[in-house]
Amino acid sequence: MNSRLTLTLAATLLASTAMAQENELTVASWGGSFQEAESKALFEPAAEAMGIDLTQETYSGMSDVRLQVQTGQVTFDLVASGTGSAARAGAEGLLEPIDYDVVDVSHFLEGTYSDYCVGSDVFSTTYAWNTDTYGEDGPDSWADFWDVEKFPGSRAYRGNSVAGALEPALMADGVAPEDVYSVLDSEEGIERAIDKIRELKPHIEVFWSSGAQQAQLMKDGEVDMTTGWNGRFDTAARDGGKVAYSFNQGLADVDCFAIPKGAPHKDLAMKFLAEISKPEYQDDLPKYITYGPTNTLAYETGEISPEVAAMLPSSPENAAKQLPISLEWYIKWETTANEMYQEMLTE
């Protein structure tokens, strides 16, 4: 009798443990103010609504996913990613395909979802300037950013990646936004963009490598202008930085969520992804960082005021001013372009 009772209790304990594990998820993102915003707007409320025990981690990107998948020790259920990185990781077999019978993207902006990732927010790579140096009427184009006579002063530019670095250079060189990716579709076009950056290089004091760094440069007044991400500049301004920026000729880009191949709770992760993609979560993200929702219904809930919408990259008015990033170009050319770009930086 005692042995039977012991076996029954053990089986019950195992079943309870299994059920508990089925309600656990591990989400990885990039940390800092960005993950804090995701946590408050998306992760924590969705986990509470679904009754999930959620663990959040910070990670370095798809290289961490690759290591987990290759070693068969996958611990992440959902990861934040750039769309280009997710597309390459998906092609490499590192990600689970998104089940669009579960995740509803019927009201998502065009181009903000793909086979292996679902867009979480829209951000803009743009130019920012020190208002103590130039006042509120700073540069209004990439040509202005390059014009060191009209706008004398120091610059900062992206140095750790070609992402968002070549397109501004071509627009500064007179290429119309709609023609940028056609010109970049060759090594000659890539070299043209790099030559334009080489022209500005004597005035670039810092080649930045992170969002935190670009914001800190402006907050500290270390440079007069920099490229970077709009949400980081808004954070710097809230922290007392003398910084302004423009969406004109900005590069509209998308962060997304992906599920690693072999995720321990793949089905639950897909349901969680469906939950955080709903407008009632996405409309809260701008409360914490000025990145725009990918679900257009988020603009109809009443949570995003016209004043806040005016600051978001995905609002109709701001989206019309920008060049959407070409995922296809990055899949085809990013590796080659990065090698060429890094060679120029070490000259």
Side-chain angles (χ1 to χ4, degrees), residues 275-322:
E275 186 74 9
I276 60 178
S277 298
K278 293 177 180 178
E280 57 263 38
Y281 297 96
Q282 286 210 0
D283 64 7
D284 279 343
L285 190 65
K287 296 177 182 177
Y288 306 105
I289 194 166
T290 47
Y291 293 154
T294 49
N295 190 330
T296 59
L297 292 182
Y299 284 105
E300 301 177 11
T301 64
E303 287 293 316
I304 301 176
S305 68
E307 292 77 17
V308 171
M311 301 174 66
L312 301 181
S314 62
S315 71
E317 182 179 353
N318 291 330
K321 301 175 182 178
Q322 300 180 76

Side-chain angles (χ1 to χ4, degrees), residues 108-190:
F108 271 48
L109 291 167
E110 185 178 353
T112 60
Y113 56 92
S114 63
D115 290 344
Y116 296 100
C117 74
V118 178
S120 57
D121 62 273
V122 180
F123 66 96
S124 178
T125 297
T126 187
Y127 43 86
W129 64 90
N130 188 317
T131 54
D132 277 347
T133 305
Y134 307 113
E136 295 297 330
D137 296 325
D140 194 42
S141 67
W142 290 112
D144 283 347
F145 187 88
W146 254 258
D147 193 337
V148 295
E149 293 186 3
K150 182 179 179 181
F151 294 98
S154 58
R155 268 67 165 167
Y157 209 82
R158 186 163 197 175
N160 66 321
S161 170
V162 77
L166 301 186
E167 299 94 333
L170 285 184
M171 284 186 272
D173 204 35
V175 177
E178 62 269 21
D179 296 329
V180 162
Y181 287 111
S182 296
V183 175
L184 283 176
D185 196 25
S186 68
E187 289 195 15
E188 292 77 16
I190 294 169

Side-chain angles (χ1 to χ4, degrees), residues 199-247:
E199 172 189 310
L200 187 64
K201 193 176 178 183
H203 304 276
I204 299 175
E205 288 195 4
V206 179
F207 281 96
W208 57 262
S209 59
S210 71
Q213 185 183 11
Q214 51 183 253
Q216 197 67 41
L217 288 169
M218 298 308 294
K219 183 179 175 181
D220 293 344
E222 188 174 339
V223 295
D224 296 302
M225 289 189 200
T226 185
T227 61
W229 304 319
N230 71 287
R232 298 288 188 167
F233 297 142
D234 285 323
T235 298
R238 284 196 299 269
D239 290 342
K242 304 298 184 181
V243 55
Y245 65 89
S246 171
F247 283 115

Side-chain angles (χ1 to χ4, degrees), residues 16-192:
S16 298
T17 301
M19 287 179 63
Q21 289 176 341
E22 285 305 310
N23 280 326
E24 295 177 357
L25 279 182
T26 299
V27 177
S29 189
W30 296 307
S33 59
F34 179 68
Q35 186 164 350
E36 183 179 351
E38 289 181 310
S39 180
K40 291 178 178 178
L42 308 176
F43 301 155
E44 293 175 10
E48 182 178 357
M50 296 178 67
I52 293 171
D53 291 327
L54 191 68
T55 299
Q56 294 189 50
E57 297 187 13
T58 58
Y59 85 137
S60 300
M62 283 299 170
S63 58
D64 291 355
V65 172
R66 181 178 294 104
L67 180 62
Q68 288 194 4
V69 173
Q70 290 178 345
T71 59
Q73 298 179 346
V74 181
T75 61
F76 300 149
D77 293 302
L78 189 75
V79 297
S81 176
T83 51
S85 297
R88 289 188 296 277
E92 195 178 331
L94 302 178
L95 301 176
E96 299 283 355
I98 301 299
D99 185 350
Y100 285 110
D101 288 333
V102 175
V103 183
D104 181 8
V105 291
S106 57
H107 294 282
F108 271 48
L109 291 167
E110 185 178 353
T112 60
Y113 56 92
S114 63
D115 290 344
Y116 296 100
C117 74
V118 178
S120 57
D121 62 273
V122 180
F123 66 96
S124 178
T125 297
T126 187
Y127 43 86
W129 64 90
N130 188 317
T131 54
D132 277 347
T133 305
Y134 307 113
E136 295 297 330
D137 296 325
D140 194 42
S141 67
W142 290 112
D144 283 347
F145 187 88
W146 254 258
D147 193 337
V148 295
E149 293 186 3
K150 182 179 179 181
F151 294 98
S154 58
R155 268 67 165 167
Y157 209 82
R158 186 163 197 175
N160 66 321
S161 170
V162 77
L166 301 186
E167 299 94 333
L170 285 184
M171 284 186 272
D173 204 35
V175 177
E178 62 269 21
D179 296 329
V180 162
Y181 287 111
S182 296
V183 175
L184 283 176
D185 196 25
S186 68
E187 289 195 15
E188 292 77 16
I190 294 169
E191 190 60 41
R192 176 180 173 182

